Amino acid sequence: MKDEKANKDMVLVSTRSKKEYMGNISGYNYIKNTGEVKGAVYGKISKTSGDVAYLTNDDKTMKNPAEELKYWKDHGITPDKEVVFYCGTGWRATAAFFLAKEEGYNNVKIYDGGWYDWDKSHQKDPEKYPVQKGTPGTSSYKVYAGNEASR
């Protein structure tokens, strides 16, 4: 993963659920630690670790993306930036990636290692791979550059 300071026009988008994003749960029985990649923006893609509910109808077809695209724009996820989607292991990020490509985002990528990879890297080198928990800009927001992020 590129250092966020290296590219000011990059937005790192978590496609994980709100509970995962806040650091309340990991979302996976094989990932014990919670949190998000430092600097990640909540993408509002899934309600749980097993869906992409904000993008799909009950019959699993894609929704009209207007509401999601408005949310993205309001949160700085715009086609003029390099947009990197990730989730826990990659599959939820793929749905957002294809939506973005379909909607004209040209510089869009997937961090396929996702939270699983970041957490493993954080355990080895927490200063290089910091973790955030809570909502950025609020008193609940904390950044962990040490092993204190471990659950």
Side-chain angles (χ1 to χ4, degrees), residues 15-18 20 46-53 91-92:
T15 63
R16 300 169 76 211
S17 72
K18 188 69 169 184
E20 289 169 288
S46 59
K47 293 181 180 179
T48 72
S49 61
D51 67 57
V52 287
W91 76 269
R92 289 180 284 176

Side-chain angles (χ1 to χ4, degrees), residues 47-116:
K47 293 181 180 179
T48 72
S49 61
D51 67 57
V52 287
Y54 291 109
L55 300 182
T56 55
N57 297 305
D58 289 342
D59 66 359
K60 305 301 181 208
T61 58
M62 293 296 282
K63 289 181 179 178
N64 178 326
E67 185 177 328
E68 186 64 26
L69 293 172
K70 181 182 179 333
Y71 178 89
W72 287 0
K73 181 180 178 187
D74 292 347
H75 291 84
I77 307 165
T78 55
D80 61 316
K81 295 180 181 168
E82 176 183 8
V83 178
V84 181
F85 293 105
Y86 78 95
C87 57
T89 58
W91 76 269
R92 289 180 284 176
T94 302
F97 170 87
F98 281 115
L99 171 61
K101 289 300 264 182
E102 186 70 26
E103 294 300 319
Y105 286 64
N106 292 316
N107 194 3
V108 61
K109 297 175 174 78
I110 295 176
Y111 171 30
D112 64 349
W115 173 244
Y116 182 73

